[in-house]
Amino acid sequence: MADLLSTGVSGLLAAQVGLSTVGHNVSNANTDGYSRQQVSFAARAPQQEGRYYVGTGVDTQAVQRAYSQYLNSALWSAASAQGRANAYQGLTGQLNNQLSGSSNLQSSLDSFFGSVQDVANAPADASARSVLLARAGGLASTFHALSGQFDSLGGQVQRQLADTVAAINSDSAGIAKLNERIRASTGQQPSDLLDQRDALIKKLSGEVGISVAPQNDGTLSVFVGNGQALVSGTQSYDLGTAPNTYDATRLEVVDKGTGAVLSSRIGGGTLGALLDFRSNVLDPAQNQLGRAALALADTFNAQHAQGVDLNGQLGGTFFNIAGPAVQAAGSNTGSATLTASISDIGALGSQDYVLSYDGSAWNLRDGSGATVAMTGTGTAADPFKAGGLSFTLGGGAANAGDSFRIQPTRNAAGGIGVAITDPNKVAAAAPLVGSAAGANTGNAAVGALTVADGSNPNLFTASSIVFSSPTSYSIDGGPAQTFTAGTPIVHNGWSLALSGSPANGDSFTVKANTNARGDNANALKLGAVANLGVLDGGATSVGGAYGQLVGQVGSAGSLADDAAKTQTAVYNQAMAAQQSVSGVNVDEEAANLVRFQQAYQASAQVINAANTVFNALLGAFKG
């Protein structure tokens, strides 16, 4: 009966393993990342007894987790996409809130140009002029506030980048340690350690997009970007952050071992969202805000220079503003320098550029890496020109590989300011007046009269233009000059356009405006700047440029909201599919508990029966 006892013991032990496994499952029913464990049993080899075989019990073959590599991989991928979508949504939401908050630029623009109109209505009113300067200061403050908020959000991105990289390194090290423990295990791989590793991989995938490759020794290798290893066997490889080669205040993600910049290769997860948001939403928003500030300052200043103030002086600079920023690469070995200026505001875009030297020629590329055609040679007399910008090389010679980054508009909004403080210096009047003689017989009329050269000492000297024929004229009795319809007459720093056709003997007079205190001609033109096409070849006004900014940020926010909803749904589906295989069903475990409990009790009865029979046999021998 020893075989019966052994058979009962095997059943008892098997049921005990089953009970322990069920208890372990129930205890971890709410443990994140836990996979339900299952016991595998197999009948022992039978013993031959003559013409038949007698069973010898059961063996516990394995305790394995319910697991699907396919479903887990799908879950990791969904976690990566959800991590990116949620982080991106949060960041774009903050940017939208900043644009729609108390520092609303459109309201400030409306208020400012409203005060310009008030000056036009009462050009000699000191209070109206003072209000204009106050509103101009408020407009500049709004630009500053928005620029500061964008900078603050950029600083937040910087901090999150560093924190996320630290979390990635910690999780990578944890995976490597679990790889070591799993590889060192004998027999069946430990399910709980495998679950811990999978949970860390899932967490890591939410932080950065990864790919996972199983190895023959039971370890998993983890890669980021286009093959950069985070974990290989029992070794982890840290990411790091380092200053951008052009801007030491801007962090880039690098391979901590080699220093190679990985920012452009990383996608997915929180880290991918941070880098993507900074490059594709925040940077363009800052550039577009600066572009609007430059358009305002450039256009308003140009028109202000066309007027005279209450002191009879030509209008000076109304708004101060920062020009393009040029940053030399930290890796430059040559001594060349570069300066940049705006040559055509209408052609100015909102992107950054990189000017690089290959050893024989300079090449310009935009933010996407596309080559941009340039004209000129880069000298002061013949600067490079592209995208509304002029670039002038200076210093010594450049070496192959040297480069410069140009940010035409990035710092403009933060640097705009009001240049004048005296209300009397608001140039609301026209400096010159032109008139046609009453005896003229032609139909030519005075059109635009503008200041072409404010430094000309004879600008305010009265001049008489007399036509000796429809195509010939003289000024102040000087030599005859050819008149071409549509071509302005330029003299003493002014430019006069005539409409219509003059006749022989017709005359026109240009002289200083003696009624500057009560004149509002230039103030009206300053007010028209609000709706004047300035950017995009004259198609976009200052307000339109701000509208483009609001639109592009709003669009990014809307797309981010949709992506977050979609990726959350995808993640929930992936989690449900994974849990349908690996999740613990408490009702099922309760049934298994009863089943193993009954098996345990039945095996105990087998042992008891074996004991009874054995005792009876001993008693028979004693008798």
Side-chain angles (χ1 to χ4, degrees):
M1 300 308 298
D3 289 340
L4 180 60
L5 179 63
S6 177
T7 299
V9 169
S10 71
L12 190 73
L13 293 175
Q16 189 177 46
V17 172
L19 287 170
S20 297
T21 302
V22 170
H24 189 53
N25 286 340
V26 173
S27 298
N28 288 280
N30 296 314
T31 300
D32 185 36
Y34 177 79
S35 297
R36 174 171 53 91
Q37 296 182 9
Q38 300 170 307
V39 185
S40 299
F41 302 112
R44 289 179 175 176
Q47 292 182 354
Q48 184 175 5
E49 298 289 345
R51 294 174 298 165
Y52 52 86
Y53 290 86
V54 177
T56 59
V58 64
D59 281 326
T60 302
Q61 285 194 317
V63 178
Q64 296 176 314
R65 57 181 184 155
Y67 178 78
S68 167
Q69 179 64 46
Y70 170 77
L71 293 178
N72 264 40
S73 296
L75 180 61
W76 297 338
S77 177
S80 179
Q82 186 193 39
R84 181 193 182 283
N86 287 344
Y88 204 80
Q89 179 192 38
L91 293 167
T92 55
Q94 289 185 60
L95 191 58
N96 269 302
N97 290 338
Q98 290 176 354
L99 286 176
S100 61
S102 57
S103 298
N104 187 291
L105 183 60
Q106 188 59 58
S107 297
S108 293
L109 284 169
D110 293 342
S111 179
F112 170 69
F113 281 107
S115 65
V116 174
Q117 187 60 50
D118 291 341
V119 171
N121 293 336
D125 187 349
S127 63
R129 289 169 170 265
S130 296
V131 170
L132 170 61
L133 294 184
R135 297 281 172 80
L139 177 58
S141 295
T142 300
F143 273 112
H144 295 167
L146 281 171
S147 179
Q149 289 172 352
F150 287 1
D151 288 340
S152 177
L153 185 55
Q156 176 186 327
V157 170
Q158 298 278 82
R159 292 188 294 273
Q160 286 185 261
L161 276 174
D163 292 344
T164 304
V165 166
I168 289 170
N169 290 340
S170 176
D171 291 340
S172 298
I175 293 169
K177 290 179 180 178
L178 286 168
N179 270 345
E180 184 176 13
R181 295 176 64 186
I182 291 168
R183 189 171 68 177
S185 63
T186 58
Q188 292 291 328
Q189 290 186 332
S191 297
D192 293 317
L193 294 181
L194 295 173
D195 283 344
Q196 291 176 31
R197 186 176 66 182
D198 284 353
L200 272 181
I201 290 176
K202 177 172 168 286
K203 181 174 179 291
L204 181 63
S205 66
E207 295 161 348
V208 65
I210 58 173
S211 57
V212 180
Q215 305 300 313
N216 293 332
D217 59 358
T219 63
L220 292 179
S221 293
V222 182
F223 304 93
V224 68
N226 56 355
Q228 174 69 31
L230 287 179
V231 180
S232 179
T234 61
Q235 180 67 44
S236 63
Y237 301 92
D238 287 349
L239 299 179
T241 56
N244 179 275
T245 185
Y246 299 107
D247 182 359
T249 66
R250 183 185 180 95
L251 293 180
E252 301 291 348
V253 178
V254 300
D255 178 344
K256 198 169 185 178
T258 65
V261 178
L262 304 175
S263 297
S264 61
R265 309 179 198 174
I266 290 175
T270 301
L271 187 61
L274 291 168
L275 294 168
D276 192 4
F277 170 79
R278 185 177 69 177
S279 297
N280 297 322
V281 179
L282 184 58
D283 287 352
Q286 289 180 301
N287 287 350
Q288 185 71 1
L289 180 66
R291 184 171 178 247
L294 278 168
L296 170 69
D298 184 88
T299 311
F300 201 86
N301 285 347
Q303 188 58 55
H304 193 255
Q306 292 292 320
V308 290
D309 59 25
L310 292 182
N311 300 320
Q313 301 296 316
L314 283 175
T317 299
F318 192 92
F319 286 109
N320 290 321
I321 196 163
V326 177
Q327 301 163 326
S331 58
N332 284 4
T333 58
S335 57
T337 60
L338 183 73
T339 57
S341 60
I342 296 172
S343 58
D344 182 1
I345 191 71
L348 185 66
S350 59
Q351 56 189 333
D352 298 338
Y353 299 93
V354 171
L355 183 68
S356 57
Y357 185 63
D358 63 9
S360 60
W362 289 91
N363 301 289
L364 186 68
R365 287 182 169 80
D366 61 20
S368 66
T371 300
V372 178
M374 295 189 301
T375 60
T377 59
T379 63
D382 185 25
F384 292 130
K385 288 190 176 182
L389 299 169
S390 293
F391 311 116
T392 303
L393 294 167
N399 290 335
D402 287 357
S403 64
F404 299 87
R405 183 171 69 180
I406 303 98
Q407 296 179 317
T409 65
R410 181 69 57 87
N411 302 322
I416 191 171
V418 183
I420 60 177
T421 57
D422 183 357
N424 289 336
K425 290 187 176 181
V426 175
L432 303 165
V433 291
S435 60
N440 286 359
T441 58
N443 62 2
V446 173
L449 177 58
T450 60
V451 176
D453 179 8
S455 64
N456 192 304
N458 297 317
L459 177 66
F460 294 107
T461 301
S463 297
S464 176
I465 306 168
V466 179
F467 280 83
S468 57
S469 73
T471 59
S472 179
Y473 66 91
S474 62
I475 302 178
D476 297 332
Q481 300 181 53
T482 301
F483 174 74
T484 303
T487 301
I489 298 171
V490 179
H491 182 68
N492 283 352
W494 49 257
S495 174
L496 172 66
L498 295 178
S499 62
S501 299
N504 183 21
D506 286 357
S507 65
F508 300 86
T509 301
V510 174
K511 62 182 180 178
N513 184 5
T514 57
N515 187 35
R517 178 168 288 276
D519 183 55
N520 67 352
N522 200 54
L524 291 172
K525 293 178 180 179
L526 287 171
V529 170
N531 300 311
L532 184 66
V534 180
L535 300 166
D536 302 321
T540 305
S541 65
V542 176
Y546 177 66
Q548 289 177 349
L549 168 61
V550 174
Q552 72 186 35
V553 172
S555 177
S558 178
L559 292 173
D561 289 342
D562 291 343
K565 293 176 183 176
T566 299
Q567 295 305 327
T568 296
V570 171
Y571 174 81
N572 290 338
Q573 291 174 356
M575 176 62 79
Q578 191 265 352
Q579 285 295 295
S580 68
V581 173
S582 300
V584 175
N585 185 317
V586 178
D587 292 335
E588 181 182 352
E589 297 304 320
N592 288 336
L593 185 64
V594 172
R595 179 164 62 90
F596 287 124
Q597 182 181 13
Q598 291 176 344
Y600 187 92
Q601 292 171 342
S603 294
Q605 289 298 323
V606 172
I607 294 172
N608 185 53
N611 184 56
T612 300
V613 172
F614 185 67
N615 288 335
L617 183 60
L618 288 178
F621 279 108
K622 288 179 181 179

